[in-house]
Amino acid sequence: MSWVEIVVSQLKDVYSGSPWYGKPVRVILHEIMPERVGLSPDASSHSVFQLAQHMLTWRTFVVEQLKGNEAYKVSLNSEKDWSPSDQINTESWSALLQAFDDNQKILLDLIQRTSTDTFEKQVPGKSYDFKHLIEGIVHHDIYHAGQIVTTAKMVGAYLPSS
């Protein structure tokens, strides 16, 4: 398998497939009670919504960089990186879930259509290449999926299907 085939397979497994560690991101997100996504375990913790939005922000960063949009930037720990909690409701949760699905399709399509030599190039303004960025988003999704489950359980918002 080529690197592209491997990373596409990993992205599919982590998002909606059968990852070795348990449930994929999409299933986890759909097992959260929408009316409780804005709750956080304490004042210093992020809500499920904020964690999911953070994941999507960085997935969008990957998409925009692959498109060549150097103007799209995300600063660590900025408001863009971690959304404020004042616009969280069941409608915004539903929109976020749809945005994840849309992003997944776009991301997979871009990776498959991008010239393989691009993956060895440095991401503009960063110290790493596109291959590192794309592999990193796989790890990022897994990490935050675990945080989402833990946070959702702490606020009584997790309803696992089985």
Side-chain angles (χ1 to χ4, degrees):
M1 287 179 97
S2 70
W3 178 82
V4 168
E5 291 169 328
I6 291 168
V7 79
V8 164
S9 175
Q10 289 173 344
L11 283 163
K12 286 178 179 178
D13 269 356
V14 167
Y15 186 69
S16 60
S18 298
W20 65 268
Y21 55 82
K23 295 180 181 181
V25 170
R26 188 172 194 280
V27 169
I28 290 168
L29 294 176
H30 283 272
E31 291 180 339
I32 306 294
M33 294 171 58
E35 60 276 5
R36 299 186 67 82
V37 296
L39 301 176
S40 58
D42 58 58
S44 65
S45 299
H46 295 291
S47 68
V48 166
F49 187 96
Q50 290 172 308
L51 291 164
Q53 181 63 55
H54 168 81
M55 289 170 66
L56 184 60
T57 295
W58 286 103
R59 288 173 133 262
T60 302
F61 177 79
V62 174
V63 164
E64 292 302 319
Q65 295 308 302
L66 283 170
K67 287 181 178 177
N69 182 1
E70 295 181 27
Y72 188 90
K73 297 188 184 325
V74 180
S75 298
L76 291 175
N77 298 315
S78 66
E79 194 169 298
K80 190 174 194 175
D81 188 17
W82 293 102
S83 64
S85 58
D86 57 347
Q87 297 296 320
I88 299 172
N89 53 51
T90 56
E91 292 81 20
S92 60
W93 180 246
S94 180
L96 184 63
L97 296 179
Q98 183 59 54
F100 258 98
D101 285 346
D102 295 345
N103 175 275
Q104 177 74 356
K105 290 174 192 159
I106 294 166
L107 180 58
L108 294 174
D109 181 60
L110 273 171
I111 292 170
Q112 292 173 67
R113 288 189 303 112
T114 299
S115 170
T116 55
D117 63 320
T118 299
F119 301 122
E120 304 294 333
K121 293 180 181 173
Q122 186 171 336
V123 176
K126 301 295 180 184
S127 61
Y128 46 81
D129 61 23
F130 281 94
K131 188 181 271 190
H132 184 78
L133 176 63
I134 295 165
E135 290 171 350
I137 207 67
V138 173
H139 305 154
H140 191 253
D141 281 358
I142 295 167
Y143 173 78
H144 286 299
Q147 274 191 312
I148 285 172
V149 170
T150 302
T151 300
K153 285 179 177 180
M154 291 173 77
V155 299
Y158 190 58
L159 298 172
S161 55
S162 58

